[in-house]
């Protein structure tokens, strides 16, 4: 059954690479618009252990874009919903739910021991906390953010932080304010985050290490900027 489950991964991934995915641990910080899709993609691919981190519960305004939300799930914790969803999708992987909001006090303990962390957050302040913890623990971090039709992705390796440049000391306006949040933007950026995470885990070349990919789905303009 395992062979059948992952057979469509093959050719794009070798059998050895697909097997290696089962041994990795990924920490997805934020289980909303971006994180719900990232967890879905990594879980379906077969990443063996996913830690889903979110202290928030679903509300009605999440229904337009957050994969894990539903009318029945309103009021449910997002990390718990991620664990439940993956139990239905892929019982061969393990999902740990952490129903906490990230702080400077708990972040290191939460992401410690993972092979990669994914920033699926919606505010700069918490992103800075996660990057600092990832750097101190030598954990690669895949950043993603959306705003309206726009989105961005970058890969942050140990020893090469980028948020001080990208957000200029926290002066940057939070990316999810002002322009709304569209479902296809969240899905597009989450897809790119999942792809970059898999490349980093498997040692494949990533063109986004230390660089920022920006997309505009309204004009279909894509740019890669050196940070």
């Amino acid at each position: 059954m395992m062979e059948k489950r992952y057979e469509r991964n093959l050719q794009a991934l070798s059998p050895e690479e697909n097997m290696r995915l089962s041994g990795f641990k990924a920490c997805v910080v934020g289980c909303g618009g971006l994180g719900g899709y990232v967890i879905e993609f990594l879980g379906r691919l077969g990443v063996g252990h996913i830690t889903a981190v979110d202290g928030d519960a679903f509300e009605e305004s999440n229904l337009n874009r957050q994969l894990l939300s539903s009318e029945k799930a309103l009021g449910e914790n997002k990390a718990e919903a991620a664990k439940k969803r993956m139990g239905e999708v892929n019982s061969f992987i393990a999902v740990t739910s952490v129903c906490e909001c990230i702080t400077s006090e708990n972040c290191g303990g939460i992401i410690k021991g993972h092979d990669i962390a994914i920033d699926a957050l919606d505010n700069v302040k918490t992103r800075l906390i996660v990057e600092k913890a990832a750097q101190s623990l030598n954990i690669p971090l895949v950043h993603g953010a959306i705003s309206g039709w726009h989105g961005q992705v970058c890969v942050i390796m140990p020893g090469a932080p980028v948020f001080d440049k990208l957000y200029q000391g926290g002066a940057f306006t939070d990316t999810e304010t002002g322009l709304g949040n569209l479902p296809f933007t969240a899905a597009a950026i989450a897809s790119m985050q999942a792809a970059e995470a898999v490349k980093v885990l498997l040692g494949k070349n990533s063109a986004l290490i230390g660089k920022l990919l920006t997309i505009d789905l309204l004009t279909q303009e894509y740019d890669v900027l050196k940070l």
Side-chain angles (χ1 to χ4, degrees), residues 171-199:
F172 187 86
T173 301
D174 285 345
T175 49
E176 288 202 4
T177 60
L179 297 177
N181 300 286
L182 298 171
F184 41 76
T185 313
I189 292 298
S191 294
M192 295 175 184
Q193 287 184 278
E196 294 307 309
V198 168
K199 284 189 280 185

Side-chain angles (χ1 to χ4, degrees), residues 53-225:
V53 185
D54 205 308
D56 290 336
F58 291 115
E59 55 188 46
E60 192 172 359
S61 63
N62 301 146
L63 292 171
N64 80 312
R65 72 198 182 283
Q66 297 192 13
L67 179 66
L68 298 174
S69 67
S70 68
E71 293 180 358
K72 291 183 178 180
L74 295 179
E76 182 178 356
N77 175 267
K78 296 180 181 182
E80 279 297 315
K83 181 176 181 178
K84 184 187 299 183
R85 168 69 176 176
M86 283 298 100
E88 297 171 349
V89 170
N90 190 349
S91 60
F92 291 101
I93 69 169
V95 178
T96 300
S97 60
V98 178
C99 306
E100 301 177 33
C101 293
I102 287 291
T103 67
S104 56
E105 290 75 26
N106 68 11
C107 189
I110 289 172
I111 71 171
K112 184 178 180 180
H114 291 84
D115 300 292
I116 198 159
I118 293 91
D119 160 24
L121 294 158
D122 63 359
N123 70 90
V124 174
K125 180 180 179 181
T126 312
R127 286 193 172 105
L128 295 172
I129 292 171
V130 172
E131 186 193 52
K132 182 178 180 180
Q135 288 291 308
S136 70
L137 294 166
N138 293 312
I139 298 173
L141 175 66
V142 181
H143 161 68
I146 61 171
S147 184
W149 296 81
H150 305 272
Q152 62 188 39
V153 182
C154 71
V155 177
I156 306 167
M157 298 301 287
V162 303
F163 284 167
D164 57 338
K165 303 173 186 176
L166 182 58
Y167 292 123
Q168 298 181 6
F172 187 86
T173 301
D174 285 345
T175 49
E176 288 202 4
T177 60
L179 297 177
N181 300 286
L182 298 171
F184 41 76
T185 313
I189 292 298
S191 294
M192 295 175 184
Q193 287 184 278
E196 294 307 309
V198 168
K199 284 189 280 185
V200 171
L201 289 173
L202 294 177
K204 294 179 176 291
N205 181 55
S206 168
L208 297 183
I209 293 176
K211 296 180 181 179
L212 184 72
L213 169 66
T214 65
I215 70 170
D216 183 337
L217 293 179
L218 188 60
T219 62
Q220 291 299 351
E221 293 180 294
Y222 298 73
D223 291 298
V224 177
L225 311 171

